[in-house]
Amino acid sequence: MYSLKELFKIGNGPSSSHTIGPLMATKEFLKRYPNVEMVKVILYGSLALTGRGHLTDYIIERTLLPIPCKIEFDMDTIMKHPNTMELYGYKGTEELAHMIFYSIGGGAIKIEGEAEQQQAHIYPQSTFEAIRAYCKENGITLAEYVNRIEGQELEAYMEEIYEAMLASIDRGLRHTGVLPGKLQVKRKAAYIYRQNSKDEGAELLRKKVIAYAYATSEENASGGTIVTAPTCGASGVLPACLKYALELNLYPHKEIINALKVAGLIGNIVKTNGSISGAEAGCQAEVGTACAMAAAFLAYLNGKSTDMVERASEIALEHHLGLTCDPIDGYVQIPCIERNAVAALRAIDAAKLASYLNSNDSKISFDLVVETMLNTGQDLSPTYRETSAGGLAKTYHE
């Protein structure tokens, strides 16, 4: 597995696959071919079907400036990856360059015919079972395992991630108005947070969690700065649970950071053995993984037990199996924002349920659920994998 720095990335929404990935691809193309005078870009699959709503064309055009470009949306040609973009570079009428990129989720890209342009695999173990065995053999916690693999240099980076998550909530709670795009969705985070109600204690805190998830998700939908956790579309879940933990005021800052590392470890396992791409496996891969990460975060804080972390993560992901990705008109707004809030609450409940159960007698492992999620995603009709051709995206009418 790669470093957690490859999972947690600070970037702009609304979609890691559709904005951050194409941004990285376009920059790489310009880096290799700085002398091109015009660029033609062909978007395939999900990038074509939902690219306009996800601002894919906007981010490509902005990155190429002042070089003129022509962007084509090919919705019919089937490529080997659902998020494929093809770039041609010209000088006059002469073709100087041609590259094919795959946006594989979480802002990461692959280049056709080349090895992945990422850091080396630094984790020798890639399944929860193997990591558990290593931790048991060495008498360490999951956070200590991450520290042993990543080293001290991860600390400063995780502090940045921590601050960026909280900042996205703060900005989202300050902003009001309407989100960009033709759906004209009103921002609701500030309204939820400030509305008068008779809620108090635990219920008041749950209302705040909803507001926090909305806040980051609305920032993401407006192209604001968020943390991929594991993706832009699911970026509201873990920050909401982070803020929830801070509101409880029970945990030292160091343990909060360690719990974020454990959440990242869970996301890494899914990314390695399953998928975090909605275009590849539906929203179970995005919000389902985010819920598992947040449940692991809370379970670690509540006892640091490796078995409890696994049980919480397994519960959270298992009950998102089959969740489709059906953004209306391609915007990461409906049902995505509300779905982040639901998943944040579900993460809290999954961690609590795990604490009530005997984690040693579970018949379903986290690794098994990850495998099942990938198989389920492959079985889903393509219309339910971020194409806006099925589900709510098909049945919704203004």
Side-chain angles (χ1 to χ4, degrees):
M1 295 193 299
Y2 298 118
S3 167
L4 296 192
K5 294 179 181 179
E6 292 295 305
L7 181 79
F8 289 129
K9 295 178 181 177
I10 301 172
N12 293 88
S15 167
S16 44
S17 294
H18 288 64
T19 49
I20 298 179
L23 171 69
M24 296 296 111
T26 307
K27 284 185 174 181
E28 182 64 25
F29 185 79
L30 287 177
K31 178 182 175 182
R32 298 190 186 197
Y33 304 104
N35 297 322
V36 295
E37 297 176 347
M38 198 280 284
V39 176
K40 182 175 79 170
V41 181
I42 305 176
L43 302 175
Y44 299 95
S46 179
L47 291 182
L49 289 161
T50 64
R52 286 192 174 92
H54 284 66
L55 306 182
T56 306
D57 50 346
Y58 165 77
I59 201 71
I60 292 172
E61 290 170 348
R62 191 182 74 175
T63 307
L64 286 171
L65 283 175
I67 300 171
C69 71
K70 177 183 178 183
I71 300 177
E72 298 178 6
F73 295 81
D74 186 334
M75 302 180 186
D76 300 316
T77 304
I78 305 299
M79 307 295 278
K80 67 181 183 181
H81 192 281
N83 284 332
T84 298
M85 58 187 293
E86 192 169 14
L87 286 82
Y88 295 87
Y90 298 91
K91 190 169 186 179
T93 58
E94 180 186 1
E95 181 183 314
L96 293 182
H98 174 233
M99 295 181 71
I100 296 176
F101 294 88
Y102 307 114
S103 181
I104 60 175
I109 59 173
K110 286 183 180 179
I111 302 173
E112 172 68 23
E114 298 184 14
E116 291 184 43
Q117 302 296 304
Q118 293 180 305
Q119 296 182 11
H121 290 277
I122 65 171
Y123 285 85
Q125 294 81 21
S126 60
T127 65
F128 195 96
E129 186 57 39
I131 292 170
R132 184 220 314 280
Y134 180 92
C135 290
K136 184 176 181 180
E137 181 181 346
N138 290 272
I140 58 176
T141 65
L142 291 170
E144 289 168 337
Y145 168 76
V146 173
N147 291 336
R148 181 173 293 193
I149 300 296
E150 298 262 8
Q152 186 62 33
E153 65 182 40
L154 183 65
E155 293 300 319
Y157 188 80
M158 292 305 299
E159 290 289 347
E160 290 180 30
I161 295 302
Y162 170 88
E163 294 294 342
M165 285 183 174
L166 295 180
S168 69
I169 292 175
D170 290 342
R171 288 194 307 274
L173 290 176
R174 289 198 305 269
H175 288 157
T176 57
V178 177
L179 294 172
K182 64 182 181 181
L183 293 178
Q184 294 293 286
V185 174
K186 293 181 180 179
R187 285 178 175 261
K188 300 178 179 66
Y191 167 75
I192 294 170
Y193 187 78
R194 298 190 180 105
Q195 68 179 252
N196 293 323
S197 70
K198 296 180 180 179
D199 293 334
E200 57 184 25
E203 284 306 310
L204 177 60
L205 188 50
R206 287 174 72 87
K207 187 191 81 167
K208 288 183 177 180
V209 169
I210 295 170
Y212 299 151
Y214 264 82
T216 296
S217 297
E218 289 172 351
E219 282 297 289
N220 174 67
S222 63
T225 302
I226 49 79
V227 176
T228 58
T231 63
C232 290
S235 60
V237 183
L238 183 55
C241 290
L242 165 62
K243 186 76 168 174
Y244 166 80
L246 293 175
E247 296 264 359
L248 293 175
N249 197 29
L250 297 174
Y251 314 106
H253 178 73
K254 182 178 179 180
E255 286 307 303
I256 294 282
I257 297 297
N258 280 338
L260 285 176
K261 294 174 185 175
V262 173
L265 185 63
I266 292 298
N268 241 356
I269 292 171
V270 180
K271 183 178 179 181
T272 301
N273 303 300
S275 176
I276 59 170
S277 169
E280 189 173 31
C283 201
Q284 56 171 359
E286 295 200 39
V287 167
T289 301
C291 187
M293 292 169 65
F297 167 82
L298 294 171
Y300 180 82
L301 284 176
N302 288 334
K304 304 182 184 61
S305 161
T306 300
D307 289 338
M308 189 182 296
V309 168
E310 180 185 22
R311 194 69 181 267
S313 305
E314 172 263 306
I315 291 169
L317 184 57
E318 178 184 343
H319 299 292
H320 277 89
L321 290 178
L323 186 61
T324 60
C325 185
D326 51 353
I328 293 176
D329 286 333
Y331 293 101
V332 189
Q333 297 176 11
I334 305 173
C336 319
I337 295 172
E338 185 177 287
R339 189 168 284 171
N340 273 252
V342 172
L345 294 176
R346 185 174 288 185
I348 294 170
D349 291 339
K352 185 63 67 175
L353 177 56
S355 72
Y356 297 150
L357 300 173
N358 180 358
S359 298
N360 295 321
D361 69 354
S362 175
K363 297 183 183 300
I364 306 297
S365 69
F366 182 67
D367 292 328
L368 179 62
V369 174
V370 172
E371 179 186 354
T372 304
M373 186 266 281
L374 181 60
N375 292 338
T376 303
Q378 292 169 341
D379 288 339
L380 283 176
S381 165
T383 59
Y384 298 112
R385 288 188 262 136
E386 205 173 7
T387 60
S388 286
L392 286 174
K394 180 180 179 181
T395 57
Y396 172 83
H397 301 287
E398 189 66 49

